[in-house]
PDB file of all heavy atoms in Angstrom:
ATOM      1  N   PHE L 202     -22.927 -37.478 -69.081  1.00 98.00           N
ATOM      2  CA  PHE L 202     -21.476 -37.362 -68.881  1.00 98.00           C
ATOM      3  C   PHE L 202     -20.718 -37.906 -70.102  1.00 98.00           C
ATOM      4  O   PHE L 202     -19.799 -37.263 -70.623  1.00 98.00           O
ATOM      5  CB  PHE L 202     -21.088 -38.134 -67.614  1.00 98.00           C
ATOM      6  CG  PHE L 202     -19.631 -38.091 -67.268  1.00 98.00           C
ATOM      7  CD1 PHE L 202     -19.101 -37.042 -66.518  1.00 98.00           C
ATOM      8  CD2 PHE L 202     -18.775 -39.109 -67.679  1.00 98.00           C
ATOM      9  CE1 PHE L 202     -17.765 -37.009 -66.189  1.00 98.00           C
ATOM     10  CE2 PHE L 202     -17.429 -39.076 -67.356  1.00 98.00           C
ATOM     11  CZ  PHE L 202     -16.922 -38.028 -66.608  1.00 98.00           C
ATOM     12  N   ALA L 203     -21.141 -39.102 -70.559  1.00 98.00           N
ATOM     13  CA  ALA L 203     -20.467 -39.740 -71.691  1.00 98.00           C
ATOM     14  C   ALA L 203     -20.656 -38.921 -72.970  1.00 98.00           C
ATOM     15  O   ALA L 203     -19.710 -38.732 -73.739  1.00 98.00           O
ATOM     16  CB  ALA L 203     -20.995 -41.159 -71.886  1.00 98.00           C
ATOM     17  N   LEU L 204     -21.892 -38.400 -73.177  1.00 98.00           N
ATOM     18  CA  LEU L 204     -22.125 -37.566 -74.364  1.00 98.00           C
ATOM     19  C   LEU L 204     -21.267 -36.307 -74.293  1.00 98.00           C
ATOM     20  O   LEU L 204     -20.725 -35.853 -75.299  1.00 98.00           O
ATOM     21  CB  LEU L 204     -23.608 -37.196 -74.486  1.00 98.00           C
ATOM     22  CG  LEU L 204     -24.571 -38.327 -74.849  1.00 98.00           C
ATOM     23  CD1 LEU L 204     -25.994 -37.796 -74.922  1.00 98.00           C
ATOM     24  CD2 LEU L 204     -24.191 -38.967 -76.188  1.00 98.00           C
ATOM     25  N   GLY L 205     -21.133 -35.743 -73.102  1.00 97.00           N
ATOM     26  CA  GLY L 205     -20.285 -34.568 -72.921  1.00 97.00           C
ATOM     27  C   GLY L 205     -18.840 -34.867 -73.292  1.00 97.00           C
ATOM     28  O   GLY L 205     -18.180 -34.063 -73.944  1.00 97.00           O
ATOM     29  N   ALA L 206     -18.367 -36.047 -72.898  1.00 97.00           N
ATOM     30  CA  ALA L 206     -16.979 -36.417 -73.186  1.00 97.00           C
ATOM     31  C   ALA L 206     -16.749 -36.597 -74.681  1.00 97.00           C
ATOM     32  O   ALA L 206     -15.673 -36.301 -75.189  1.00 97.00           O
ATOM     33  CB  ALA L 206     -16.619 -37.702 -72.441  1.00 97.00           C
ATOM     34  N   VAL L 207     -17.777 -37.049 -75.391  1.00 98.00           N
ATOM     35  CA  VAL L 207     -17.620 -37.267 -76.828  1.00 98.00           C
ATOM     36  C   VAL L 207     -17.809 -35.961 -77.597  1.00 98.00           C
ATOM     37  O   VAL L 207     -17.025 -35.621 -78.474  1.00 98.00           O
ATOM     38  CB  VAL L 207     -18.634 -38.320 -77.342  1.00 98.00           C
ATOM     39  CG1 VAL L 207     -18.607 -38.407 -78.859  1.00 98.00           C
ATOM     40  CG2 VAL L 207     -18.319 -39.683 -76.733  1.00 98.00           C
ATOM     41  N   ILE L 208     -18.858 -35.198 -77.231  1.00 97.00           N
ATOM     42  CA  ILE L 208     -19.236 -34.028 -78.028  1.00 97.00           C
ATOM     43  C   ILE L 208     -18.481 -32.761 -77.601  1.00 97.00           C
ATOM     44  O   ILE L 208     -18.160 -31.910 -78.414  1.00 97.00           O
ATOM     45  CB  ILE L 208     -20.775 -33.811 -77.961  1.00 97.00           C
ATOM     46  CG1 ILE L 208     -21.482 -35.030 -78.566  1.00 97.00           C
ATOM     47  CG2 ILE L 208     -21.188 -32.542 -78.697  1.00 97.00           C
ATOM     48  CD1 ILE L 208     -22.987 -35.052 -78.409  1.00 97.00           C
ATOM     49  N   ARG L 209     -18.185 -32.630 -76.306  1.00 96.00           N
ATOM     50  CA  ARG L 209     -17.380 -31.539 -75.746  1.00 96.00           C
ATOM     51  C   ARG L 209     -18.044 -30.164 -75.787  1.00 96.00           C
ATOM     52  O   ARG L 209     -17.537 -29.216 -75.203  1.00 96.00           O
ATOM     53  CB  ARG L 209     -15.996 -31.418 -76.422  1.00 96.00           C
ATOM     54  CG  ARG L 209     -15.150 -32.657 -76.267  1.00 96.00           C
ATOM     55  CD  ARG L 209     -13.687 -32.331 -76.272  1.00 96.00           C
ATOM     56  NE  ARG L 209     -13.211 -31.829 -77.537  1.00 96.00           N
ATOM     57  CZ  ARG L 209     -11.927 -31.699 -77.838  1.00 96.00           C
ATOM     58  NH1 ARG L 209     -11.006 -32.040 -76.960  1.00 96.00           N
ATOM     59  NH2 ARG L 209     -11.554 -31.227 -78.995  1.00 96.00           N
ATOM     60  N   HIS L 210     -19.141 -30.007 -76.526  1.00 96.00           N
ATOM     61  CA  HIS L 210     -19.830 -28.721 -76.563  1.00 96.00           C
ATOM     62  C   HIS L 210     -21.135 -28.818 -75.777  1.00 96.00           C
ATOM     63  O   HIS L 210     -21.922 -29.745 -76.000  1.00 96.00           O
ATOM     64  CB  HIS L 210     -20.116 -28.287 -77.994  1.00 96.00           C
ATOM     65  CG  HIS L 210     -18.869 -28.046 -78.781  1.00 96.00           C
ATOM     66  ND1 HIS L 210     -18.132 -26.892 -78.635  1.00 96.00           N
ATOM     67  CD2 HIS L 210     -18.210 -28.812 -79.653  1.00 96.00           C
ATOM     68  CE1 HIS L 210     -17.072 -26.960 -79.415  1.00 96.00           C
ATOM     69  NE2 HIS L 210     -17.083 -28.115 -80.040  1.00 96.00           N
ATOM     70  N   THR L 211     -21.361 -27.841 -74.895  1.00 96.00           N
ATOM     71  CA  THR L 211     -22.508 -27.904 -73.988  1.00 96.00           C
ATOM     72  C   THR L 211     -23.828 -28.038 -74.741  1.00 96.00           C
ATOM     73  O   THR L 211     -24.602 -28.968 -74.494  1.00 96.00           O
ATOM     74  CB  THR L 211     -22.543 -26.647 -73.099  1.00 96.00           C
ATOM     75  OG1 THR L 211     -21.282 -26.546 -72.419  1.00 96.00           O
ATOM     76  CG2 THR L 211     -23.646 -26.746 -72.070  1.00 96.00           C
ATOM     77  N   ALA L 212     -24.086 -27.117 -75.661  1.00 97.00           N
ATOM     78  CA  ALA L 212     -25.386 -27.097 -76.332  1.00 97.00           C
ATOM     79  C   ALA L 212     -25.624 -28.387 -77.106  1.00 97.00           C
ATOM     80  O   ALA L 212     -26.693 -28.993 -77.031  1.00 97.00           O
ATOM     81  CB  ALA L 212     -25.484 -25.887 -77.258  1.00 97.00           C
ATOM     82  N   GLY L 213     -24.617 -28.827 -77.831  1.00 97.00           N
ATOM     83  CA  GLY L 213     -24.755 -30.043 -78.629  1.00 97.00           C
ATOM     84  C   GLY L 213     -25.006 -31.261 -77.766  1.00 97.00           C
ATOM     85  O   GLY L 213     -25.879 -32.092 -78.066  1.00 97.00           O
ATOM     86  N   ALA L 214     -24.255 -31.365 -76.663  1.00 97.00           N
ATOM     87  CA  ALA L 214     -24.382 -32.549 -75.816  1.00 97.00           C
ATOM     88  C   ALA L 214     -25.722 -32.554 -75.084  1.00 97.00           C
ATOM     89  O   ALA L 214     -26.349 -33.605 -74.931  1.00 97.00           O
ATOM     90  CB  ALA L 214     -23.219 -32.600 -74.830  1.00 97.00           C
ATOM     91  N   ILE L 215     -26.181 -31.377 -74.646  1.00 97.00           N
ATOM     92  CA  ILE L 215     -27.472 -31.325 -73.946  1.00 97.00           C
ATOM     93  C   ILE L 215     -28.605 -31.666 -74.920  1.00 97.00           C
ATOM     94  O   ILE L 215     -29.522 -32.422 -74.596  1.00 97.00           O
ATOM     95  CB  ILE L 215     -27.703 -29.938 -73.287  1.00 97.00           C
ATOM     96  CG1 ILE L 215     -26.782 -29.806 -72.072  1.00 97.00           C
ATOM     97  CG2 ILE L 215     -29.164 -29.765 -72.874  1.00 97.00           C
ATOM     98  CD1 ILE L 215     -26.898 -28.478 -71.340  1.00 97.00           C
ATOM     99  N   THR L 216     -28.517 -31.106 -76.126  1.00 97.00           N
ATOM    100  CA  THR L 216     -29.529 -31.420 -77.137  1.00 97.00           C
ATOM    101  C   THR L 216     -29.579 -32.923 -77.401  1.00 97.00           C
ATOM    102  O   THR L 216     -30.654 -33.534 -77.438  1.00 97.00           O
ATOM    103  CB  THR L 216     -29.216 -30.680 -78.459  1.00 97.00           C
ATOM    104  OG1 THR L 216     -29.078 -29.290 -78.168  1.00 97.00           O
ATOM    105  CG2 THR L 216     -30.320 -30.878 -79.473  1.00 97.00           C
ATOM    106  N   ALA L 217     -28.409 -33.521 -77.557  1.00 97.00           N
ATOM    107  CA  ALA L 217     -28.348 -34.960 -77.825  1.00 97.00           C
ATOM    108  C   ALA L 217     -28.934 -35.745 -76.656  1.00 97.00           C
ATOM    109  O   ALA L 217     -29.703 -36.697 -76.852  1.00 97.00           O
ATOM    110  CB  ALA L 217     -26.898 -35.378 -78.079  1.00 97.00           C
ATOM    111  N   ALA L 218     -28.608 -35.321 -75.432  1.00 97.00           N
ATOM    112  CA  ALA L 218     -29.088 -36.052 -74.254  1.00 97.00           C
ATOM    113  C   ALA L 218     -30.610 -35.969 -74.144  1.00 97.00           C
ATOM    114  O   ALA L 218     -31.280 -36.977 -73.924  1.00 97.00           O
ATOM    115  CB  ALA L 218     -28.427 -35.502 -72.994  1.00 97.00           C
ATOM    116  N   VAL L 219     -31.166 -34.764 -74.327  1.00 96.00           N
ATOM    117  CA  VAL L 219     -32.617 -34.592 -74.220  1.00 96.00           C
ATOM    118  C   VAL L 219     -33.310 -35.376 -75.326  1.00 96.00           C
ATOM    119  O   VAL L 219     -34.306 -36.077 -75.094  1.00 96.00           O
ATOM    120  CB  VAL L 219     -33.008 -33.095 -74.297  1.00 96.00           C
ATOM    121  CG1 VAL L 219     -34.513 -32.934 -74.405  1.00 96.00           C
ATOM    122  CG2 VAL L 219     -32.482 -32.353 -73.073  1.00 96.00           C
ATOM    123  N   ALA L 220     -32.757 -35.289 -76.536  1.00 97.00           N
ATOM    124  CA  ALA L 220     -33.369 -36.004 -77.657  1.00 97.00           C
ATOM    125  C   ALA L 220     -33.372 -37.504 -77.407  1.00 97.00           C
ATOM    126  O   ALA L 220     -34.389 -38.173 -77.584  1.00 97.00           O
ATOM    127  CB  ALA L 220     -32.627 -35.676 -78.953  1.00 97.00           C
ATOM    128  N   LEU L 221     -32.240 -38.020 -76.980  1.00 97.00           N
ATOM    129  CA  LEU L 221     -32.116 -39.475 -76.871  1.00 97.00           C
ATOM    130  C   LEU L 221     -32.801 -40.043 -75.627  1.00 97.00           C
ATOM    131  O   LEU L 221     -33.164 -41.209 -75.594  1.00 97.00           O
ATOM    132  CB  LEU L 221     -30.637 -39.876 -76.889  1.00 97.00           C
ATOM    133  CG  LEU L 221     -29.946 -39.663 -78.240  1.00 97.00           C
ATOM    134  CD1 LEU L 221     -28.436 -39.883 -78.120  1.00 97.00           C
ATOM    135  CD2 LEU L 221     -30.531 -40.603 -79.291  1.00 97.00           C
ATOM    136  N   LEU L 222     -32.977 -39.207 -74.594  1.00 96.00           N
ATOM    137  CA  LEU L 222     -33.628 -39.705 -73.387  1.00 96.00           C
ATOM    138  C   LEU L 222     -35.135 -39.469 -73.388  1.00 96.00           C
ATOM    139  O   LEU L 222     -35.900 -40.243 -72.824  1.00 96.00           O
ATOM    140  CB  LEU L 222     -33.036 -39.044 -72.137  1.00 96.00           C
ATOM    141  CG  LEU L 222     -31.663 -39.516 -71.663  1.00 96.00           C
ATOM    142  CD1 LEU L 222     -31.198 -38.677 -70.483  1.00 96.00           C
ATOM    143  CD2 LEU L 222     -31.689 -40.989 -71.292  1.00 96.00           C
ATOM    144  N   LEU L 223     -35.565 -38.367 -74.006  1.00 95.00           N
ATOM    145  CA  LEU L 223     -36.960 -37.964 -73.849  1.00 95.00           C
ATOM    146  C   LEU L 223     -37.759 -37.943 -75.148  1.00 95.00           C
ATOM    147  O   LEU L 223     -38.897 -38.401 -75.190  1.00 95.00           O
ATOM    148  CB  LEU L 223     -37.008 -36.573 -73.202  1.00 95.00           C
ATOM    149  CG  LEU L 223     -38.363 -36.171 -72.628  1.00 95.00           C
ATOM    150  CD1 LEU L 223     -38.642 -36.966 -71.365  1.00 95.00           C
ATOM    151  CD2 LEU L 223     -38.409 -34.676 -72.321  1.00 95.00           C
ATOM    152  N   VAL L 224     -37.147 -37.406 -76.212  1.00 95.00           N
ATOM    153  CA  VAL L 224     -37.917 -37.168 -77.432  1.00 95.00           C
ATOM    154  C   VAL L 224     -37.988 -38.417 -78.312  1.00 95.00           C
ATOM    155  O   VAL L 224     -39.066 -38.817 -78.754  1.00 95.00           O
ATOM    156  CB  VAL L 224     -37.306 -35.997 -78.237  1.00 95.00           C
ATOM    157  CG1 VAL L 224     -38.141 -35.723 -79.479  1.00 95.00           C
ATOM    158  CG2 VAL L 224     -37.216 -34.755 -77.364  1.00 95.00           C
ATOM    159  N   VAL L 225     -36.846 -39.031 -78.541  1.00 94.00           N
ATOM    160  CA  VAL L 225     -36.793 -40.141 -79.490  1.00 94.00           C
ATOM    161  C   VAL L 225     -37.407 -41.441 -78.954  1.00 94.00           C
ATOM    162  O   VAL L 225     -38.093 -42.134 -79.712  1.00 94.00           O
ATOM    163  CB  VAL L 225     -35.334 -40.362 -79.967  1.00 94.00           C
ATOM    164  CG1 VAL L 225     -35.262 -41.515 -80.967  1.00 94.00           C
ATOM    165  CG2 VAL L 225     -34.783 -39.083 -80.587  1.00 94.00           C
ATOM    166  N   PRO L 226     -37.219 -41.796 -77.662  1.00 94.00           N
ATOM    167  CA  PRO L 226     -37.701 -43.108 -77.203  1.00 94.00           C
ATOM    168  C   PRO L 226     -39.166 -43.403 -77.516  1.00 94.00           C
ATOM    169  O   PRO L 226     -39.448 -44.473 -78.082  1.00 94.00           O
ATOM    170  CB  PRO L 226     -37.441 -43.061 -75.691  1.00 94.00           C
ATOM    171  CG  PRO L 226     -36.263 -42.168 -75.559  1.00 94.00           C
ATOM    172  CD  PRO L 226     -36.443 -41.109 -76.606  1.00 94.00           C
ATOM    173  N   PRO L 227     -40.140 -42.496 -77.250  1.00 93.00           N
ATOM    174  CA  PRO L 227     -41.519 -42.841 -77.599  1.00 93.00           C
ATOM    175  C   PRO L 227     -41.730 -42.959 -79.103  1.00 93.00           C
ATOM    176  O   PRO L 227     -42.563 -43.742 -79.562  1.00 93.00           O
ATOM    177  CB  PRO L 227     -42.352 -41.689 -77.011  1.00 93.00           C
ATOM    178  CG  PRO L 227     -41.386 -40.607 -76.686  1.00 93.00           C
ATOM    179  CD  PRO L 227     -40.060 -41.220 -76.498  1.00 93.00           C
ATOM    180  N   LEU L 228     -40.947 -42.199 -79.894  1.00 94.00           N
ATOM    181  CA  LEU L 228     -41.098 -42.241 -81.347  1.00 94.00           C
ATOM    182  C   LEU L 228     -40.714 -43.601 -81.914  1.00 94.00           C
ATOM    183  O   LEU L 228     -41.177 -44.002 -82.985  1.00 94.00           O
ATOM    184  CB  LEU L 228     -40.241 -41.151 -82.009  1.00 94.00           C
ATOM    185  CG  LEU L 228     -40.597 -39.701 -81.669  1.00 94.00           C
ATOM    186  CD1 LEU L 228     -39.653 -38.748 -82.376  1.00 94.00           C
ATOM    187  CD2 LEU L 228     -42.033 -39.418 -82.062  1.00 94.00           C
ATOM    188  N   MET L 229     -39.844 -44.324 -81.189  1.00 93.00           N
ATOM    189  CA  MET L 229     -39.399 -45.628 -81.667  1.00 93.00           C
ATOM    190  C   MET L 229     -40.564 -46.605 -81.809  1.00 93.00           C
ATOM    191  O   MET L 229     -40.471 -47.612 -82.484  1.00 93.00           O
ATOM    192  CB  MET L 229     -38.339 -46.204 -80.713  1.00 93.00           C
ATOM    193  CG  MET L 229     -37.011 -45.466 -80.737  1.00 93.00           C
ATOM    194  SD  MET L 229     -36.169 -45.663 -82.324  1.00 93.00           S
ATOM    195  CE  MET L 229     -36.148 -43.987 -82.891  1.00 93.00           C
ATOM    196  N   ASN L 230     -41.661 -46.271 -81.141  1.00 90.00           N
ATOM    197  CA  ASN L 230     -42.863 -47.086 -81.216  1.00 90.00           C
ATOM    198  C   ASN L 230     -43.450 -47.112 -82.629  1.00 90.00           C
ATOM    199  O   ASN L 230     -44.207 -47.997 -82.994  1.00 90.00           O
ATOM    200  CB  ASN L 230     -43.912 -46.512 -80.249  1.00 90.00           C
ATOM    201  CG  ASN L 230     -44.684 -47.610 -79.563  1.00 90.00           C
ATOM    202  OD1 ASN L 230     -44.442 -48.787 -79.829  1.00 90.00           O
ATOM    203  ND2 ASN L 230     -45.601 -47.245 -78.705  1.00 90.00           N
ATOM    204  N   LEU L 231     -43.089 -46.099 -83.408  1.00 92.00           N
ATOM    205  CA  LEU L 231     -43.625 -45.981 -84.758  1.00 92.00           C
ATOM    206  C   LEU L 231     -42.906 -46.893 -85.737  1.00 92.00           C
ATOM    207  O   LEU L 231     -43.357 -47.083 -86.862  1.00 92.00           O
ATOM    208  CB  LEU L 231     -43.513 -44.525 -85.241  1.00 92.00           C
ATOM    209  CG  LEU L 231     -44.209 -43.481 -84.357  1.00 92.00           C
ATOM    210  CD1 LEU L 231     -43.899 -42.073 -84.848  1.00 92.00           C
ATOM    211  CD2 LEU L 231     -45.713 -43.734 -84.344  1.00 92.00           C
ATOM    212  N   LEU L 232     -41.762 -47.438 -85.330  1.00 91.00           N
ATOM    213  CA  LEU L 232     -41.026 -48.320 -86.235  1.00 91.00           C
ATOM    214  C   LEU L 232     -41.852 -49.579 -86.475  1.00 91.00           C
ATOM    215  O   LEU L 232     -42.449 -50.125 -85.562  1.00 91.00           O
ATOM    216  CB  LEU L 232     -39.666 -48.692 -85.628  1.00 91.00           C
ATOM    217  CG  LEU L 232     -38.640 -47.554 -85.518  1.00 91.00           C
ATOM    218  CD1 LEU L 232     -37.400 -48.038 -84.777  1.00 91.00           C
ATOM    219  CD2 LEU L 232     -38.259 -47.014 -86.879  1.00 91.00           C
ATOM    220  N   PRO L 233     -41.869 -50.049 -87.717  1.00 91.00           N
ATOM    221  CA  PRO L 233     -42.714 -51.213 -88.041  1.00 91.00           C
ATOM    222  C   PRO L 233     -42.043 -52.536 -87.666  1.00 91.00           C
ATOM    223  O   PRO L 233     -40.832 -52.590 -87.454  1.00 91.00           O
ATOM    224  CB  PRO L 233     -42.859 -51.097 -89.558  1.00 91.00           C
ATOM    225  CG  PRO L 233     -41.591 -50.444 -90.006  1.00 91.00           C
ATOM    226  CD  PRO L 233     -41.168 -49.518 -88.894  1.00 91.00           C
ATOM    227  N   GLY L 234     -42.854 -53.574 -87.579  1.00 88.00           N
ATOM    228  CA  GLY L 234     -42.351 -54.940 -87.466  1.00 88.00           C
ATOM    229  C   GLY L 234     -41.776 -55.287 -86.116  1.00 88.00           C
ATOM    230  O   GLY L 234     -41.767 -54.467 -85.187  1.00 88.00           O
ATOM    231  N   THR L 235     -41.294 -56.506 -86.007  1.00 90.00           N
ATOM    232  CA  THR L 235     -40.748 -56.964 -84.723  1.00 90.00           C
ATOM    233  C   THR L 235     -39.421 -56.285 -84.417  1.00 90.00           C
ATOM    234  O   THR L 235     -39.110 -56.011 -83.265  1.00 90.00           O
ATOM    235  CB  THR L 235     -40.531 -58.494 -84.728  1.00 90.00           C
ATOM    236  OG1 THR L 235     -39.851 -58.843 -85.932  1.00 90.00           O
ATOM    237  CG2 THR L 235     -41.852 -59.239 -84.637  1.00 90.00           C
ATOM    238  N   TRP L 236     -38.609 -56.018 -85.445  1.00 91.00           N
ATOM    239  CA  TRP L 236     -37.334 -55.337 -85.179  1.00 91.00           C
ATOM    240  C   TRP L 236     -37.589 -53.935 -84.638  1.00 91.00           C
ATOM    241  O   TRP L 236     -36.848 -53.428 -83.800  1.00 91.00           O
ATOM    242  CB  TRP L 236     -36.439 -55.320 -86.417  1.00 91.00           C
ATOM    243  CG  TRP L 236     -37.013 -54.536 -87.595  1.00 91.00           C
ATOM    244  CD1 TRP L 236     -37.821 -55.004 -88.574  1.00 91.00           C
ATOM    245  CD2 TRP L 236     -36.792 -53.141 -87.875  1.00 91.00           C
ATOM    246  NE1 TRP L 236     -38.139 -54.010 -89.452  1.00 91.00           N
ATOM    247  CE2 TRP L 236     -37.525 -52.861 -89.067  1.00 91.00           C
ATOM    248  CE3 TRP L 236     -36.060 -52.114 -87.263  1.00 91.00           C
ATOM    249  CZ2 TRP L 236     -37.541 -51.581 -89.634  1.00 91.00           C
ATOM    250  CZ3 TRP L 236     -36.079 -50.845 -87.850  1.00 91.00           C
ATOM    251  CH2 TRP L 236     -36.824 -50.590 -89.018  1.00 91.00           C
ATOM    252  N   GLY L 237     -38.677 -53.323 -85.111  1.00 91.00           N
ATOM    253  CA  GLY L 237     -39.050 -52.008 -84.589  1.00 91.00           C
ATOM    254  C   GLY L 237     -39.380 -52.100 -83.110  1.00 91.00           C
ATOM    255  O   GLY L 237     -38.946 -51.269 -82.304  1.00 91.00           O
ATOM    256  N   LYS L 238     -40.124 -53.156 -82.733  1.00 92.00           N
ATOM    257  CA  LYS L 238     -40.469 -53.363 -81.322  1.00 92.00           C
ATOM    258  C   LYS L 238     -39.215 -53.608 -80.484  1.00 92.00           C
ATOM    259  O   LYS L 238     -39.104 -53.141 -79.354  1.00 92.00           O
ATOM    260  CB  LYS L 238     -41.415 -54.562 -81.196  1.00 92.00           C
ATOM    261  CG  LYS L 238     -42.858 -54.235 -81.520  1.00 92.00           C
ATOM    262  CD  LYS L 238     -43.766 -55.347 -80.991  1.00 92.00           C
ATOM    263  CE  LYS L 238     -45.214 -54.907 -80.889  1.00 92.00           C
ATOM    264  NZ  LYS L 238     -45.718 -54.258 -82.122  1.00 92.00           N
ATOM    265  N   ASP L 239     -38.272 -54.371 -81.079  1.00 93.00           N
ATOM    266  CA  ASP L 239     -37.026 -54.669 -80.356  1.00 93.00           C
ATOM    267  C   ASP L 239     -36.221 -53.401 -80.100  1.00 93.00           C
ATOM    268  O   ASP L 239     -35.673 -53.202 -79.017  1.00 93.00           O
ATOM    269  CB  ASP L 239     -36.180 -55.672 -81.151  1.00 93.00           C
ATOM    270  CG  ASP L 239     -36.783 -57.069 -81.109  1.00 93.00           C
ATOM    271  OD1 ASP L 239     -37.611 -57.317 -80.194  1.00 93.00           O
ATOM    272  OD2 ASP L 239     -36.449 -57.895 -81.978  1.00 93.00           O
ATOM    273  N   ILE L 240     -36.146 -52.546 -81.113  1.00 94.00           N
ATOM    274  CA  ILE L 240     -35.405 -51.294 -80.941  1.00 94.00           C
ATOM    275  C   ILE L 240     -36.089 -50.432 -79.879  1.00 94.00           C
ATOM    276  O   ILE L 240     -35.444 -49.854 -79.005  1.00 94.00           O
ATOM    277  CB  ILE L 240     -35.292 -50.534 -82.282  1.00 94.00           C
ATOM    278  CG1 ILE L 240     -34.355 -51.304 -83.227  1.00 94.00           C
ATOM    279  CG2 ILE L 240     -34.761 -49.113 -82.065  1.00 94.00           C
ATOM    280  CD1 ILE L 240     -34.189 -50.688 -84.590  1.00 94.00           C
ATOM    281  N   TYR L 241     -37.428 -50.375 -79.965  1.00 95.00           N
ATOM    282  CA  TYR L 241     -38.178 -49.593 -78.973  1.00 95.00           C
ATOM    283  C   TYR L 241     -37.855 -50.056 -77.551  1.00 95.00           C
ATOM    284  O   TYR L 241     -37.598 -49.256 -76.664  1.00 95.00           O
ATOM    285  CB  TYR L 241     -39.688 -49.724 -79.244  1.00 95.00           C
ATOM    286  CG  TYR L 241     -40.546 -49.095 -78.170  1.00 95.00           C
ATOM    287  CD1 TYR L 241     -40.801 -47.710 -78.195  1.00 95.00           C
ATOM    288  CD2 TYR L 241     -41.071 -49.853 -77.120  1.00 95.00           C
ATOM    289  CE1 TYR L 241     -41.566 -47.131 -77.206  1.00 95.00           C
ATOM    290  CE2 TYR L 241     -41.824 -49.265 -76.127  1.00 95.00           C
ATOM    291  CZ  TYR L 241     -42.075 -47.905 -76.170  1.00 95.00           C
ATOM    292  OH  TYR L 241     -42.821 -47.323 -75.179  1.00 95.00           O
ATOM    293  N   LYS L 242     -37.838 -51.385 -77.373  1.00 94.00           N
ATOM    294  CA  LYS L 242     -37.615 -51.962 -76.041  1.00 94.00           C
ATOM    295  C   LYS L 242     -36.274 -51.578 -75.433  1.00 94.00           C
ATOM    296  O   LYS L 242     -36.176 -51.352 -74.235  1.00 94.00           O
ATOM    297  CB  LYS L 242     -37.648 -53.497 -76.156  1.00 94.00           C
ATOM    298  CG  LYS L 242     -39.000 -54.122 -76.044  1.00 94.00           C
ATOM    299  CD  LYS L 242     -38.801 -55.635 -75.969  1.00 94.00           C
ATOM    300  CE  LYS L 242     -39.992 -56.348 -76.578  1.00 94.00           C
ATOM    301  NZ  LYS L 242     -39.745 -57.791 -76.719  1.00 94.00           N
TER     302      LYS L 242
END
Side-chain angles (χ1 to χ4, degrees):
Chain L
F202 181 86
L204 290 180
V207 172
I208 298 172
R209 299 209 293 192
H210 296 282
T211 304
I215 288 179
T216 306
V219 171
L221 291 171
L222 284 176
L223 196 72
V224 182
V225 180
L228 297 179
M229 291 293 116
N230 218 359
L231 303 174
L232 292 174
T235 48
W236 64 271
K238 280 196 162 49
D239 287 341
I240 291 178
Y241 173 83
K242 273 188 210 171

